[in-house]
Amino acid sequence: MDMLWSGWGDPAKAAPLPETVTGLLRDLLGVKPRTAGTIALDDISVPETRLDPAAHKALSAALGGEEHVRTDAETRLRHTRGKSTPDLLRIRDGEVDDIPAAVLLPADHEEVVAVLRVCAEHGLPVVPFGGGTSVVGGLTPARRDSFVALDLRRMDRMLALDPVSRTVTLQPGLRAPQAEALLAEQGFTLGHFPQSYEWATIGGFAATRSSGQASAGYGRFDEMVLGLTLATPEGTIDTGRAPRSAAGPDLRQLFLGSEGAFGIITSVTMRIRPVPETRVYEGWRFASFEEGTAALRRLAQDGPRPTVLRLSDETETLIGLAQPDAIGGALPQDAGCMAIAGYEGTDEDTAYRRERAAAVLRECGGTPLGEEPGQRWAHGRYSAPYLRDSLLDAGAFAETLETATFWSRVPDLYAAVHDALANTLTEAGTPPLVMCHISHVYENGASLYFTVVSAQGEDPVKHWERAKHAANEAILAAGGTISHHHGVGTDHRDWYVREAGPLGIEALRAVKERLDPDGLLNPGVLLPLD
Amino acid sequence: MDMLWSGWGDPAKAAPLPETVTGLLRDLLGVKPRTAGTIALDDISVPETRLDPAAHKALSAALGGEEHVRTDAETRLRHTRGKSTPDLLRIRDGEVDDIPAAVLLPADHEEVVAVLRVCAEHGLPVVPFGGGTSVVGGLTPARRDSFVALDLRRMDRMLALDPVSRTVTLQPGLRAPQAEALLAEQGFTLGHFPQSYEWATIGGFAATRSSGQASAGYGRFDEMVLGLTLATPEGTIDTGRAPRSAAGPDLRQLFLGSEGAFGIITSVTMRIRPVPETRVYEGWRFASFEEGTAALRRLAQDGPRPTVLRLSDETETLIGLAQPDAIGGALPQDAGCMAIAGYEGTDEDTAYRRERAAAVLRECGGTPLGEEPGQRWAHGRYSAPYLRDSLLDAGAFAETLETATFWSRVPDLYAAVHDALANTLTEAGTPPLVMCHISHVYENGASLYFTVVSAQGEDPVKHWERAKHAANEAILAAGGTISHHHGVGTDHRDWYVREAGPLGIEALRAVKERLDPDGLLNPGVLLPLD
């Protein structure tokens, strides 16, 4: 099944907002119904492919047949840009500037290598395409005159499973649920459940350093990776002979997060864990974001560590508690800040951690709210992007961004980003709701995940560009990283260059030039063109 | 205090072997007393420095004075090579081919940058020198006509401590005990206790991806590093704005393990933990290495994880149990394999983990031996290199090597390396004792640490070269990494090149060429010259 071309995920899951919510949007944010609806797929004027016929022929040969070089309008359209809100607004307007000339469907590592050879011969830029869920412009190369999208969906097999070492080797085009299904047959799980879970792929997780909602227990995706294979125009690199090594720099960590700019990830070897016997999620209330943050820090540093650990700020808590049916009635007063603590594992270990963590959370001022809020969170954990579709349909603007830093800088980073977003959008005439949660915790710091909802206003893409620019500046000034788990893409590139510093960027550029001397791999993504 | 120039560590700790041990060496391994003793320091013929006077003057200016450019014979001699057994045998013979032209003593980052500038102007290779404890030829550059050793001992300050985030920023020349002392004043510890603990430095740990004896609980050194500053001939790189990030490849992991070939590490920001309330170590007996390995794997994968977890094979167990006074009498029969499980942390957490882990170890066939073997291990945890000095004095040869792989490959790797060492040295006429222990565990694999003791024979350096060559080949063939925690240096370089593969090496060489265009940083260490 394909994703909704003009939005997120499964078209069957789309649902209009209840009247109560649209009322709230209207009253609180001044949201007006969209005058123009989304263009129909068939009405979009898609330019003919500019793929050179000789290249087309060579690519067909490399891929074992015409059918694996798609140049029809719909396929190309479905590979145009990613799923950021500006991406969605543009495609809903029928704007297809970033459309690929063709979509290539390789079956294995060797076909990827062959494709890269053909692309080098024809000077054809290549954009690797996994789930297509980038929210940072990762699928929008700089040279848009003619490029190909390399869709890895046919590379969806489990290549090896080692139950003794608890490792699995997966092809990059496997979507997370497929990977989990294959592993579950053998009693294992990856434990990687980001919001993009239903659609994103193993290769994409690796290329962008994804982080899942259960990262407190299972770690980030990059921490799970034990080896990977990278196909480049100059050949293949295989990494990972041991979990850890002192044999030089860690090449795995050079290619994780390389976002297709250094090569195409054609297999990933990962840590797996037994399917948990128990999964339990519960809610906790804190009087303030500060108090809740201190509680999360305490658990992250001293343990016991829950598997899921997150904390919403006051605004997000209030909105999250606002049941559609209750809206228009009273919003809960003094809701405080809601945390979710979840535990997965063996019955015994889960019970121990839950009991001990509960004692710590109480000591830190937390009030237990029981399993109901946890179940509600678990039920809705992948639903926010669907909600965004409905908000966009209703004339609202909704977008997210995220960052991370060390614990001592969290309060300043929170305030700086919050204010940057609120001020910029208010100045633009579309005062927003700015919500935030701590989405991932570490011993030494945490990530902050912001959600913004406002009216669309005159030119929502332009308004957001300004707000996002201000937020990015605030992040760098407050000592945060420009992305904790979304990646760099093209949207964060200018700030990433500042974060890594000129010589850090030069070191990475040297790697790119050696592996991709013609600069054909995702040009302009991660690293600037020149 | 300086290390013993001709051996390990504190000269005051050297002690001759008891007669019972020399008897065992003689009877079991045919060890004959050395006919030639160690040359006296003053009798070594040290060539005059070849440091160009103009360079000398410029370096003195960069370092704020003559006294920070040392060219006297003793200082240079004390910076000649590292502490592998071949290194010691060579220096004991008065062989000083690898002597630096000068020893430089910078005070801070800016002086390191200034030194690199002068070295670039004068085409002078630079070898960074921390504790001088390399056992892989990490201090032996390829261009030996004239190079300088950059000794970081003056850079021994704590630059920042953040108790909220639990991070510390340290200068690279701090020795581990000094670092621990500074942190202990604030109630913290790094928890990094490798065998080289007494002498090695923070910068050296980072540059070589060191791993300590408590890695099961505290992690490897590279896992503790949250940021580092690198001075290169082309400028400075600062890394680490958050514990984890999705902003591109992890530059920290590109410079960790770079062994001075990419730049000089001038500060390291690290995770710290509270000083543990409790430390307890205990012994366990397993019938076989296979049974013990399965038990360690179970704890590493399912927990609870001890802080220290190691397992000796039958031979190492037997030798370890052989008390000097008992030798010549009966060696223990059927000693099996000894494991050490240690727990550090709060009283409550330690008690819980210890009790649960004990249940797991029993289930896996283990017999508890109580705290006595654990205390003995803890007492002697840094003593093996001193013992080596005494063995060398007594005419024996003693050396170690280590590797790591995934759990399923551990048995084959163990057998292959064991046999390669035993066969090669037996063929050379010096049949060895080959001992091994699992020194570090991960969810997905473990490291194997081998110790070899034999007679020195005619030419021990040459014999060992052959044995080490055979072991390295066995490691690669069995799927292991060429080093789990000693590093690459010059000794492992040829095998490292095969492990990383030609294109992986090209990627790293591209980084080196960008940061060190004249190839002056530790030339021939980590990467081959051309």
Side-chain angles (χ1 to χ4, degrees):
Chain A
M1 189 184 53
D2 280 324
M3 256 179 132
L4 184 62
W5 68 276
S6 60
W8 185 261
D10 180 357
K13 295 198 190 170
L17 296 175
E19 170 51 31
T20 46
V21 175
T22 52
L24 184 71
L25 292 171
R26 184 184 58 232
D27 299 344
L28 204 67
L29 301 173
V31 170
K32 293 176 197 146
R34 263 172 79 89
T35 47
T38 295
I39 193 170
L41 182 59
D42 292 342
D43 290 343
I44 297 180
S45 159
V46 174
E48 279 297 301
T49 179
R50 296 196 214 161
L51 187 63
D52 171 62
H56 195 144
K57 197 174 157 193
L59 289 169
S60 298
L63 291 165
E66 279 275 344
E67 68 274 27
H68 301 131
V69 182
R70 304 277 178 85
T71 55
D72 64 285
E74 182 175 337
T75 302
R76 289 163 55 218
L77 193 81
R78 286 183 179 278
H79 290 78
T80 301
R81 294 186 290 257
K83 298 293 181 184
S84 73
T85 299
D87 286 346
L88 299 188
L89 290 171
R90 286 197 183 100
I91 204 97
R92 285 166 176 228
D93 278 348
E95 193 208 287
V96 292
D97 294 353
D98 298 297
I99 200 164
V103 176
L104 313 180
L105 300 166
D108 55 26
H109 173 82
E110 285 66 35
E111 288 195 2
V112 172
V113 171
V115 162
L116 293 180
R117 201 175 305 124
V118 172
C119 288
E121 282 162 15
H122 293 268
L124 203 50
V126 181
V127 176
F129 192 102
T133 61
S134 174
V135 291
V136 294
L139 304 168
T140 318
R143 300 179 191 174
R144 57 175 72 171
D145 50 321
S146 191
F147 71 93
V148 291
L150 190 68
D151 186 327
L152 298 155
R153 68 175 61 195
R154 289 175 68 210
M155 294 173 66
D156 63 353
R157 287 186 303 129
M158 179 190 294
L159 298 177
L161 184 124
D162 176 349
V164 172
S165 307
R166 291 197 183 161
T167 65
V168 69
T169 302
L170 301 173
Q171 287 189 314
L174 258 177
R175 283 187 187 159
Q178 291 173 278
E180 287 294 341
L182 289 171
L183 285 167
E185 286 172 20
Q186 317 276 335
F188 292 106
T189 178
L190 290 175
H192 187 67
F193 307 108
Q195 200 169 67
S196 61
Y197 173 77
E198 295 170 322
W199 300 94
T201 60
I202 297 298
F205 292 145
T208 61
R209 294 183 175 271
S210 172
S211 194
Q213 292 165 356
S215 71
Y218 292 99
R220 300 163 57 84
F221 197 83
D222 51 17
E223 292 168 334
M224 301 174 191
V225 172
L226 300 164
L228 49 78
T229 306
L230 193 78
T232 85
E234 295 294 290
T236 295
I237 297 179
D238 261 313
T239 66
R241 294 173 70 88
R244 293 287 176 266
S245 166
D250 193 339
L251 284 174
R252 297 172 294 205
Q253 296 291 335
L254 181 59
F255 302 133
L256 289 163
S258 64
E259 301 191 11
F262 292 173
I264 313 296
I265 294 167
T266 57
S267 79
V268 183
T269 298
M270 307 189 57
R271 176 180 81 193
I272 51 177
R273 292 197 175 154
V275 170
E277 292 170 13
T278 300
R279 286 190 181 89
V280 57
Y281 313 105
E282 57 190 22
W284 287 81
R285 181 193 176 280
F286 291 91
S288 67
F289 196 55
E290 190 186 353
E291 186 183 76
T293 300
L296 265 62
R297 176 164 71 85
R298 172 97 184 270
L299 283 183
Q301 292 185 332
D302 294 330
R305 188 77 77 89
T307 311
V308 172
L309 191 58
R310 16 193 323 122
L311 172 74
S312 293
D313 71 356
E314 289 83 350
T315 308
E316 190 172 286
T317 301
L318 205 64
I319 297 296
L321 290 176
Q323 297 300 303
D325 296 344
I327 288 173
L331 280 173
Q333 292 301 304
D334 193 23
C337 288
M338 166 93 83
I340 301 293
Y343 305 87
E344 303 183 6
T346 60
D347 295 339
E348 185 190 344
D349 177 58
T350 301
Y352 172 77
R353 285 190 291 140
R354 188 183 183 188
E355 187 192 317
R356 284 292 306 122
V360 171
L361 292 171
R362 275 180 210 271
E363 270 173 49
C364 293
T367 308
L369 302 175
E371 293 185 34
E372 191 278 327
Q375 285 162 354
R376 191 148 36 89
W377 168 79
H379 178 73
R381 63 195 290 184
Y382 309 127
S383 65
Y386 295 101
L387 178 63
R388 177 180 58 168
D389 282 352
S390 304
L391 288 168
L392 295 181
D393 289 341
F397 176 90
E399 183 57 304
T400 66
L401 60 82
E402 40 77 54
T403 177
T405 192
F406 296 101
W407 284 113
S408 60
R409 296 183 195 157
V410 165
D412 287 350
L413 181 64
Y414 172 81
V417 177
H418 186 283
D419 292 354
L421 291 168
N423 294 342
T424 325
L425 287 170
T426 301
E427 278 163 27
T430 51
L433 262 182
V434 179
M435 299 168 270
C436 181
H437 62 267
I438 291 181
S439 57
H440 303 267
V441 297
Y442 303 95
E443 274 183 70
N444 307 106
S447 69
L448 294 174
Y449 189 95
F450 289 89
T451 302
V452 174
V453 180
S454 71
Q456 289 190 7
E458 286 298 297
D459 188 342
V461 172
K462 203 166 163 191
H463 285 184
W464 178 245
E465 223 164 62
R466 262 205 296 266
K468 172 86 175 163
H469 187 287
N472 291 348
E473 291 293 329
I475 286 171
L476 285 204
T481 177
I482 198 61
S483 174
H484 170 266
H485 59 274
H486 284 169
V488 175
T490 48
D491 293 357
H492 290 150
R493 190 186 56 215
D494 295 349
W495 290 269
Y496 171 59
V497 164
R498 286 157 60 188
E499 177 171 336
L503 197 56
I505 293 293
E506 278 306 304
L508 295 176
R509 197 194 288 278
V511 172
K512 178 165 175 74
E513 288 171 3
R514 195 65 56 107
L515 301 180
D516 175 29
D518 301 322
L520 297 174
L521 293 176
N522 230 357
V525 168
L526 187 68
L527 298 174
L529 280 191
D530 270 335
Chain B
M1 188 185 51
D2 279 325
M3 255 180 135
L4 183 62
W5 68 276
S6 60
W8 185 261
D10 181 356
K13 293 198 191 169
L17 297 175
E19 168 53 30
T20 45
V21 174
T22 51
L24 185 71
L25 293 170
R26 183 183 60 230
D27 299 344
L28 205 67
L29 301 173
V31 170
K32 292 176 200 148
R34 261 172 82 88
T35 48
T38 296
I39 195 170
L41 182 60
D42 292 342
D43 291 343
I44 297 180
S45 158
V46 173
E48 279 297 302
T49 178
R50 296 196 215 162
L51 186 63
D52 172 61
H56 195 144
K57 195 175 157 192
L59 288 169
S60 299
L63 291 166
E66 279 276 341
E67 67 275 25
H68 301 132
V69 182
R70 304 277 177 87
T71 55
D72 64 284
E74 183 174 335
T75 303
R76 289 162 57 218
L77 194 80
R78 287 182 179 279
H79 291 77
T80 301
R81 292 186 290 257
K83 298 294 181 182
S84 72
T85 300
D87 286 346
L88 298 189
L89 291 171
R90 285 196 184 102
I91 204 99
R92 284 164 176 230
D93 279 349
E95 193 208 286
V96 291
D97 294 354
D98 299 298
I99 200 163
V103 176
L104 313 179
L105 300 167
D108 56 26
H109 173 82
E110 285 65 34
E111 288 195 1
V112 172
V113 170
V115 162
L116 293 180
R117 201 176 305 122
V118 173
C119 289
E121 282 163 14
H122 292 269
L124 203 50
V126 182
V127 177
F129 192 101
T133 61
S134 174
V135 291
V136 295
L139 303 169
T140 318
R143 298 179 192 177
R144 56 175 73 170
D145 49 321
S146 193
F147 71 93
V148 291
L150 190 69
D151 186 327
L152 300 155
R153 68 175 63 194
R154 289 176 67 211
M155 295 174 64
D156 62 354
R157 287 186 304 129
M158 180 190 292
L159 298 176
L161 185 125
D162 177 347
V164 172
S165 307
R166 291 198 184 162
T167 64
V168 69
T169 302
L170 301 173
Q171 286 189 313
L174 258 179
R175 284 188 188 160
Q178 292 172 278
E180 286 294 341
L182 290 171
L183 285 167
E185 286 173 20
Q186 317 276 335
F188 291 107
T189 179
L190 290 174
H192 187 67
F193 307 108
Q195 200 169 66
S196 61
Y197 172 77
E198 296 170 322
W199 300 95
T201 60
I202 297 300
F205 292 145
T208 61
R209 294 185 177 270
S210 173
S211 192
Q213 292 166 356
S215 70
Y218 291 99
R220 300 164 56 87
F221 197 84
D222 51 17
E223 291 167 335
M224 301 175 191
V225 171
L226 299 164
L228 48 80
T229 307
L230 192 78
T232 84
E234 296 293 293
T236 295
I237 298 180
D238 261 313
T239 64
R241 293 172 72 88
R244 294 285 178 265
S245 166
D250 192 339
L251 284 174
R252 299 173 291 205
Q253 296 291 336
L254 181 59
F255 302 133
L256 289 165
S258 63
E259 301 192 11
F262 292 173
I264 314 294
I265 295 167
T266 57
S267 80
V268 184
T269 298
M270 306 188 58
R271 175 180 82 194
I272 51 178
R273 293 199 176 152
V275 170
E277 293 171 11
T278 299
R279 287 190 181 89
V280 56
Y281 313 105
E282 56 190 21
W284 287 81
R285 180 193 177 282
F286 291 92
S288 67
F289 195 56
E290 190 185 352
E291 188 184 74
T293 301
L296 264 62
R297 177 164 71 86
R298 173 95 182 270
L299 282 183
Q301 291 184 334
D302 293 331
R305 187 78 75 94
T307 311
V308 172
L309 192 56
R310 16 193 320 122
L311 172 73
S312 295
D313 71 357
E314 289 84 352
T315 308
E316 190 172 284
T317 300
L318 205 62
I319 297 295
L321 290 177
Q323 299 299 304
D325 297 341
I327 287 174
L331 281 172
Q333 293 300 307
D334 193 24
C337 287
M338 167 92 85
I340 301 292
Y343 306 87
E344 302 183 6
T346 61
D347 296 339
E348 184 190 344
D349 177 57
T350 302
Y352 173 77
R353 285 189 292 138
R354 187 181 183 191
E355 187 192 317
R356 284 292 306 123
V360 171
L361 291 171
R362 275 179 210 272
E363 270 173 50
C364 294
T367 308
L369 302 176
E371 293 185 31
E372 191 278 328
Q375 283 162 354
R376 190 147 39 87
W377 169 80
H379 178 74
R381 62 195 291 185
Y382 309 127
S383 65
Y386 295 101
L387 179 63
R388 177 180 59 167
D389 283 352
S390 305
L391 288 168
L392 295 180
D393 289 340
F397 176 90
E399 183 56 303
T400 65
L401 60 81
E402 40 77 57
T403 177
T405 192
F406 296 101
W407 285 113
S408 60
R409 294 182 197 158
V410 165
D412 287 349
L413 181 63
Y414 172 79
V417 177
H418 187 284
D419 292 354
L421 291 168
N423 294 343
T424 325
L425 287 170
T426 302
E427 278 164 27
T430 52
L433 264 181
V434 179
M435 299 168 272
C436 182
H437 62 266
I438 291 181
S439 56
H440 304 267
V441 297
Y442 303 96
E443 275 184 70
N444 308 106
S447 69
L448 294 174
Y449 189 94
F450 290 89
T451 302
V452 174
V453 180
S454 71
Q456 290 190 7
E458 286 299 297
D459 187 342
V461 172
K462 202 165 161 191
H463 285 182
W464 176 246
E465 222 165 63
R466 261 205 298 265
K468 172 87 174 163
H469 187 288
N472 290 349
E473 291 294 328
I475 286 169
L476 284 205
T481 176
I482 199 62
S483 175
H484 171 265
H485 58 274
H486 284 168
V488 174
T490 47
D491 293 356
H492 290 150
R493 191 187 56 215
D494 295 350
W495 290 269
Y496 172 57
V497 164
R498 285 156 62 188
E499 178 171 335
L503 198 57
I505 293 294
E506 278 306 304
L508 295 175
R509 198 195 289 279
V511 173
K512 178 166 176 71
E513 288 170 3
R514 194 66 55 111
L515 301 181
D516 174 28
D518 301 322
L520 297 174
L521 293 176
N522 229 357
V525 167
L526 187 70
L527 299 173
L529 280 191
D530 268 334

